[in-house]
């Protein structure tokens, strides 16, 4: 497995990271035994970057990771944890708390659940307008000094917020959606991250499965599957987006690879400062994703892809209107 370094100050990690979210939450149908086997298979294949959040399954995801790392050398894993999003007992989303004492409280619980005394990269999942990012990063830098976290990351912030945060303490990486059909970061956010020496961990590289080649109009997500509520997965938008995928399939087949592998290889090829996180929850999906690390798209492939999926080709926004309005990264 090739490696990449997260920004100019961060750890060296596998070129592909594993995102654990769907093993506990948001996408229905996860199986705990298979999830752990998938994490083990990833570690055995050289994947070192493991991304979780304290709110994924309300602590379940962190405890799953603890279980998967039992008997393994914790030092070989780079654990990235998001905090701040709050859930009610039914799992409903009830806002964001990133006040200094809340951060310290969240981290204490996370360390206990993970069974470790440090987190490699710790980040707020979202920035709230009521707490200045300087205060958030200031608190996180105290936690770095105390040895509880090793690096500070951010998630879904815009270029200006990234600059303000980076002045307080070096930001290791920005976690943000980036894929063939979500290219919003290319204009301002990615150039700013590059200027500052901040890495990018790209999530949703398969657009939550939509551009994996395994989604179809017949696959109706269960009502409690988050994808049932995303604009790109419904009605006419879905048909239009799946038509894009079929064009990608033709390109993939000509290369003798799969649609998912082309989509992941495309993100991998956008720069060595970008580490795609894939959300595989099963070993077969993981094996397919890992196969992308040996796919190099030629200039001709890239031109063919750009011709069928230019920037902005997706139908529908990446989140619903309420969430889009809350995203710092979507503010100019
Ligand atoms: N910072 C943020 O705001 C944020 C937001 C979302 C996610 N994340 C992080 O990013 C990670 C990845 O996000 P994601 O799961 O939405 O992204 P993704 O990799 O775009 O989508 C993963 C889904 O695609 C489907 N899939 C089909 N073929 C696959 C293959 N070969 N490999 C992997 N998945 C395949 C699977 O769905 P089925 O199993 O249902 O087929 C899987 O659950 C998350 O686990 C989380 O750690 C961060």
């Amino acid at each position: 497995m090739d490696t990449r370094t997260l920004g100019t100050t961060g750890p060296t990690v596998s070129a592909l990271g594993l995102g654990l979210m769907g093993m506990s939450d948001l996408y229905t149908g996860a199986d705990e035994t298979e999830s752990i086997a998938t994490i083990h298979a990833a570690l055995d294949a050289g994947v070192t970057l493991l991304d979780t959040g304290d709110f994924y399954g309300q602590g379940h995801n962190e405890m799953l990771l603890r279980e998967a790392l039992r008997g393994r050398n914790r030092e070989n894993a780079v654990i990235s944890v998001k905090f701040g999003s709050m859930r009610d007992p039914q799992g409903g989303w009830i806002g964001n708390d990133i006040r200094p004492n809340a951060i310290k409280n969240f981290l204490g619980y996370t360390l206990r659940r993970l069974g470790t005394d440090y987190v490699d990269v710790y980040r707020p999942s979202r920035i709230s307008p009521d707490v200045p990012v300087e205060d958030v990063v200031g608190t996180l830098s105290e936690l770095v000094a105390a040895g509880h976290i090793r690096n500070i990351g951010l998630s879904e912030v815009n270029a200006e917020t990234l600059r303000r945060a980076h002045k307080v303490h070096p930001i290791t990486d920005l976690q943000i959606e980036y894929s063939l059909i979500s290219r919003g970061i290319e204009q301002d956010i990615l150039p700013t991250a590059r200027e500052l020496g901040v890495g990018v961990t790209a999530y949703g590289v398969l657009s939550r499965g939509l551009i994996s080649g395994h989604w179809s109009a017949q696959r109706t997500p269960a009502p409690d599957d988050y994808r049932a509520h995303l604009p790109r997965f419904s009605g006419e938008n879905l048909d239009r987006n799946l038509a894009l995928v079929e064009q990608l399939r033709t390109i993939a087949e000509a290369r003798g690879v799969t649609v998912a592998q082309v989509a992941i290889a495309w993100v991998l090829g956008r720069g060595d400062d970008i580490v795609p996180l894939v959300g595989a929850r099963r070993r077969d999906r993981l094996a397919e994703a890992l196969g992308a690390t040996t796919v190099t798209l030629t200039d001709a492939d890239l031109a063919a892809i750009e011709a069928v999926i230019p920037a902005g080709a997706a139908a529908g926004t990446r989140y619903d209107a309420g969430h889009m309005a809350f995203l710092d990264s979507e503010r100019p």
Side-chain angles (χ1 to χ4, degrees):
M1 169 75 64
D2 284 345
T3 57
R4 295 183 172 188
T5 301
L6 293 182
T8 48
T9 57
T12 296
V13 298
S14 48
L16 213 58
L18 183 67
L20 310 185
M21 177 184 82
M23 295 178 178
S24 302
D25 212 352
L26 290 137
Y27 311 150
T28 52
D31 175 86
E32 203 163 301
T33 305
E34 182 60 25
S35 294
I36 289 177
T38 304
I39 298 171
H40 286 165
L43 293 168
D44 293 343
V47 172
T48 59
L49 177 62
L50 302 166
D51 184 71
T52 180
D54 61 12
F55 49 90
Y56 291 158
Q58 292 150 304
H60 179 271
N61 209 232
E62 292 177 326
M63 292 189 289
L64 186 83
L65 179 54
R66 177 189 187 144
E67 186 58 34
L69 289 176
R70 201 178 293 281
R72 304 260 172 167
N73 185 354
R74 190 259 174 266
E75 290 294 319
N76 292 340
V78 175
I79 302 177
S80 154
V81 181
K82 289 180 291 301
F83 64 86
S85 299
M86 295 190 299
R87 315 286 295 266
D88 67 19
Q90 286 80 41
W93 300 89
I94 52 170
N96 203 39
D97 193 352
I98 52 172
R99 293 170 299 171
N101 279 350
I103 296 174
K104 292 173 189 165
N105 177 63
F106 284 140
L107 180 61
Y109 282 81
T110 282
L111 293 173
R112 289 297 292 267
R113 279 189 295 258
L114 284 171
T116 181
D117 54 8
Y118 69 93
V119 167
D120 294 274
V121 189
Y122 200 49
R123 74 186 81 237
S125 58
R126 299 287 180 262
I127 287 295
S128 324
D130 52 333
V131 186
V133 73
E134 287 83 357
D135 293 0
V136 177
V137 177
T139 301
L140 292 173
S141 70
E142 286 171 28
L143 295 169
V144 171
H148 301 308
I149 64 176
R150 295 206 167 156
N151 300 277
I152 301 174
L154 287 172
S155 167
E156 288 288 352
V157 300
N158 69 18
E160 194 209 325
T161 304
L162 188 57
R163 279 187 197 285
R164 285 171 48 202
H166 196 69
K167 274 192 194 145
V168 179
H169 187 98
I171 302 300
T172 296
D173 68 304
L174 169 61
Q175 191 174 112
I176 196 157
E177 186 165 358
Y178 188 41
S179 75
L180 267 170
I181 64 166
S182 296
R183 294 175 59 174
I185 71 168
E186 288 177 357
Q187 225 167 2
D188 288 332
I189 296 174
L190 184 56
T192 303
R194 287 186 165 151
E195 180 198 318
L196 300 173
V198 174
V200 168
T201 41
Y203 78 84
V205 295
L206 298 176
S207 198
R208 304 169 184 275
L210 179 60
I211 61 166
S212 66
H214 301 295
W215 202 271
S216 74
Q218 286 69 48
R219 185 173 164 181
T220 310
D224 55 342
D225 191 309
Y226 187 59
R227 294 171 290 197
H229 312 284
L230 290 174
R232 290 181 177 172
F233 280 85
S234 59
E236 211 178 290
N237 286 348
L238 178 64
D239 295 339
R240 283 173 53 195
N241 292 330
L242 289 177
L244 298 176
V245 175
E246 287 319 301
Q247 306 231 51
L248 201 57
R249 196 183 302 279
T250 307
I251 295 168
E253 282 175 359
R255 279 292 310 262
V257 298
T258 69
V259 175
Q261 287 168 342
V262 170
I264 298 166
W266 184 89
V267 177
L268 276 168
R270 303 305 278 185
D272 285 349
D273 53 347
I274 301 176
V275 176
L277 293 172
V278 292
R281 325 190 273 173
R282 298 188 339 222
R283 283 167 289 180
D284 58 343
R285 298 288 203 231
L286 174 75
E288 181 183 36
L290 292 174
T293 58
T294 56
V295 176
T296 304
L297 298 172
T298 64
D299 288 346
D301 293 330
L302 292 171
I305 293 168
E306 189 73 27
V308 296
I309 312 185
T317 49
R318 56 197 184 96
Y319 286 100
D320 66 25
H323 199 147
M324 289 296 279
F326 182 64
L327 284 176
D328 188 71
S329 53
E330 293 290 332
R331 274 181 221 123

